[in-house]
Every structure is written in structure tokens, then in C-alpha cells.
Amino acid sequence: MWTAITREVSPALGDCELSYVPREPIDVARAVSQHHAYRRALEGLGCRVLSLPAEPTQPDSVFVEDVAIVLDEVAVLTRPGAASRRAEVAGVAVALNHYRPLLALEAPATLDGGDVLRLGRTLFVGQSARSNAEGIGQLRALLASHGYAVQGVPIHGCLHLKSAVTQLADDSLLLQPAWVDREQFAGFRIIEVDPAEPHAANVLRIGNALLMPASFPRTRQRLIAAGFHVATVDVSELQKAEGAVTCCSLVFRGAE
Ligand code: GLY
């Protein structure tokens, strides 16, 4: 059984952090409805969904992925790179405390969970504006005794590593070559996003199931042609907040 921790959309979503997408008006009511559909989609893919209440003073708090890294053995609370997001950690920590022993990064480390792509026993971490060398080093030190390697990955032109690459199957990745070098992932079968859909590399994998935004039909077609079954969900208002499908949940094997 999978557990997915989510947090409902903040009424302040329009005041979110933005780095690589232009600010445009966000229809918060529509975002709330899309997030509801996202949670139903997670349930449809086999998750027990825990839905934390909206945080009116934390615009980006719907993007729970950034505040923790959940592994089978432990969870690591991050220190988000955007100072405006650091208060988001405490509430998710309370929820995660029921499922995993908690470790935590400390200043001057910064690291966003959106920069962390776990492939087997290696955590690839985007060297982004949000995740610094101290963050990557602290993560490496915390997880070494649990048998994980941590490897920094240069990225450019996008917010997080998982804006540029996500996992489709044990041996397969979906990747945006303009934002991350495919040579970083030698040995993996790489499928590239359709050039007309630069933001399409963010796919949520839950077991053997995949979920991606409905707005990338060309890339989805590539995945279907490669033999993958991919469910879709409309997250257009969350995309305006520089979000996608992985960042709206923390998915892990749950105890219940
Ligand atoms: N709006 C998502 C982020 O910048 O963290």
C-alpha cells in the first residue's frame, strides 16, 4: 500500500515563488478543484491519500515534495532554498513523524525535495538555485549509514532536477535534454520530451503506474509508443505556480 501526503491549495497561491515561468493570474478556486482531482487520481493509482489543511500564509505549501525526502528507512526534512518556504517544513514533519524516523538538514544547507531523484540506492540532487553544496553534503552524510549514495547533478534553465528528469521504470527515464545532460544517467534508457513541450519531463511514478499533466499530449504519445501506460490530470493552475505532478505529494510505502 502506498501513502501520499498532500496539502490543500493555499488561498495565497497567487503569491507563490516563481523562477522560470512568468507570473500570470491564478484561478485559485480552479486550482483547488484540480488538486482535488489530483488526489482522486492518486487514490486511483493505489494510494491512501492524507490531505493536510490549506495554509493561508504559505503560498507554496501545496508543493509538499520540497520539504522532505521520504525513503524506506527514514525521512529527511529539508531546508528549502526559498526563505519564504521554510515554515512549510514543520507541518509536514508532524505528519511524517507517524511513518518514519526523521532526520533534518540544518543551516547553511539549502535543498528542495524537487531536486532529489532517487534511482535505486543513489539520490541524484540537482545543483540548482534552491539546493546548495552544503545541502548536498549534509544529505550525503545523513544517508551514508543507510546505504545511499548522493550525487550532485548540474542543471540549468529550470527550477528543479525533477523539472528536467523523472523515472518511468527501473531502467527508464523521461528527460528534457535542454536542462540536464543525459550523460549524467549512463546506463538508463532515456526518452526525451517532445521539443514542443519543454516542461513535460515531470512524471509521477507510483509502483508501475505513471501520472503526468494533461497538457503534454505529444510527450504522452511518445511514452505510450514506448509501451508505458500513463494516466493524466489537469494541473494547469498549479503549473502557473511552477508546480507539476511530483511536487504535490510525498508518496511512499505506508504502514497501513
Ligand atoms: N512555486 C514553487 C516554488 O518556486 O517553489
Side-chain angles (χ1 to χ4, degrees), residues 111-125:
L111 191 139
D112 282 9
D115 272 320
V116 180
L117 176 65
R118 184 182 69 78
L119 300 176
R121 302 301 289 189
T122 300
L123 273 60
F124 292 84
V125 185

Side-chain angles (χ1 to χ4, degrees), residues 13 16-19 60 63 66 82 85 112 130 159-160 241-243:
L13 180 66
C16 65
E17 296 282 341
L18 290 176
S19 301
D60 282 298
F63 303 128
D66 289 321
R85 300 198 55 189
D112 282 9
R130 298 287 178 85
L159 178 59
H160 289 135
E242 212 163 359

Side-chain angles (χ1 to χ4, degrees), residues 55-78:
E55 286 281 4
T57 62
Q58 297 174 4
D60 282 298
S61 52
V62 66
F63 303 128
V64 289
E65 173 186 61
D66 289 321
V67 303
I69 301 150
V70 187
L71 303 169
D72 288 344
E73 303 84 356
V74 291
V76 181
L77 304 174
T78 70

Side-chain angles (χ1 to χ4, degrees), residues 4-8 50 52-53 55 58 60-70 75-78 80 85-100 102 247-252:
I5 294 179
T6 66
R7 185 178 291 287
E8 293 180 23
L50 178 61
L52 304 176
E55 286 281 4
Q58 297 174 4
D60 282 298
S61 52
V62 66
F63 303 128
V64 289
E65 173 186 61
D66 289 321
V67 303
I69 301 150
V70 187
V76 181
L77 304 174
T78 70
R85 300 198 55 189
R86 294 199 184 130
E88 296 173 26
V89 178
V92 172
V94 171
L96 272 176
N97 195 37
H98 296 288
Y99 299 97
R100 296 288 190 276
L102 300 182
C247 53
C248 292
S249 55
L250 286 162
V251 180
F252 52 88

